[in-house]
Amino acid sequence: MIISKSQLARITLNESQNRAYSAISAATSVFLSHKHSDRTQLFRIKNLLESLGISVYIDWLDASLPEITRGETGKIIKQKIKQYDKFILVATDAAIASQWCNWELGLGDAEKYSKDKIALFPLKEDNKSWSGTEYMEIYPVIEYEDGTRKNTNNMYIERGYYVKYPYKQNGSREYVSLKHWLNK
């Protein structure tokens, strides 16, 4: 299920209190694309990924970037997307509307297009739905399962974060735990 911003706050707090994540065996790194106005949610996602042993890149924490956005900023961002193992777009409504986020997603697509290298982390506004855009349907998405839904084998899906791949023509959908996806 795609979670809301307030659900993210509750889930990340509960997950960190109730579940000890073990670190990823390989040192995986993630370029986290986002809209700067989504900083609160971004820190929660960053903390979630870091609790899994992931190195996370966030542009405004990078001292090598110019203080004022200009062409050099774009060059450095391109290098960072290439450098990091995986690309995740925190896909809020603001990020989807952002020219920078769409540019970064295009670069991420060119550098990382594989179901195991690029994903969206959609976040909806409270009491609203999330639809993204048509072209976003080609990417895997990170969603949270609360343990109440069943898979096609009629078994409950364990509570936690999962990367869910795009729907197949027959309507089925593959998924793996976020930890497993990050370890690929």
Side-chain angles (χ1 to χ4, degrees):
M1 108 180 111
I2 293 174
I3 60 175
S4 68
K5 291 178 178 181
S6 63
Q7 287 172 315
L8 176 67
R10 286 192 306 275
I11 292 168
T12 53
L13 177 63
N14 290 339
E15 291 289 318
S16 65
Q17 290 173 344
N18 298 330
R19 189 173 179 177
Y21 288 107
S22 57
I24 302 298
S25 58
T28 302
S29 60
V30 171
F31 181 98
L32 204 53
S33 178
H34 62 284
K35 180 73 174 160
H36 287 201
S37 60
D38 295 321
R39 283 185 184 204
T40 301
Q41 292 74 32
L42 186 69
F43 275 118
R44 291 183 176 116
I45 294 169
K46 178 182 181 287
N47 290 339
L48 168 71
L49 295 171
E50 288 177 342
S51 76
L52 294 169
I54 303 302
S55 170
V56 179
Y57 177 83
I58 297 176
D59 60 358
W60 43 269
L61 297 176
D62 183 349
S64 73
L65 286 175
E67 287 186 33
I68 298 172
T69 303
R70 57 180 199 260
E72 183 65 20
T73 307
K75 288 178 184 177
I76 294 170
I77 294 293
K78 284 175 77 169
Q79 291 170 347
K80 295 296 182 180
I81 290 172
K82 286 180 185 181
Q83 175 185 339
Y84 281 73
D85 300 317
K86 309 239 182 204
F87 179 96
I88 297 174
L89 169 62
V90 179
T92 61
D93 290 341
I96 292 167
S98 164
Q99 291 179 358
W100 270 100
C101 290
N102 279 285
W103 179 74
E104 289 174 355
L105 180 60
L107 291 172
D109 182 274
E111 289 296 324
K112 309 289 183 204
Y113 189 71
S114 155
K115 69 179 189 174
D116 297 324
K117 299 286 184 191
I118 188 169
L120 306 178
F121 196 125
L123 285 177
K124 63 183 183 173
E125 296 295 328
D126 294 338
N127 302 316
K128 292 185 179 179
S129 62
W130 185 90
S131 59
T133 63
E134 299 85 6
Y135 65 86
M136 290 183 171
E137 293 176 6
I138 68 172
Y139 299 108
V141 295
I142 300 167
E143 295 183 14
Y144 184 79
E145 287 295 335
D146 62 8
T148 61
R149 293 186 349 163
K150 293 183 178 182
N151 61 21
T152 55
N153 296 331
N154 207 29
M155 297 181 69
Y156 286 101
I157 302 169
E158 187 179 331
R159 185 180 68 183
Y161 288 94
Y162 291 87
V163 175
K164 296 182 176 182
Y165 298 107
Y167 287 99
K168 296 179 181 180
Q169 286 189 339
N170 66 4
S172 68
R173 191 176 194 191
E174 291 178 56
Y175 63 92
V176 297
S177 71
L178 177 59
K179 180 179 175 179
H180 179 78
W181 183 82
L182 289 165
N183 210 17
K184 285 185 171 188

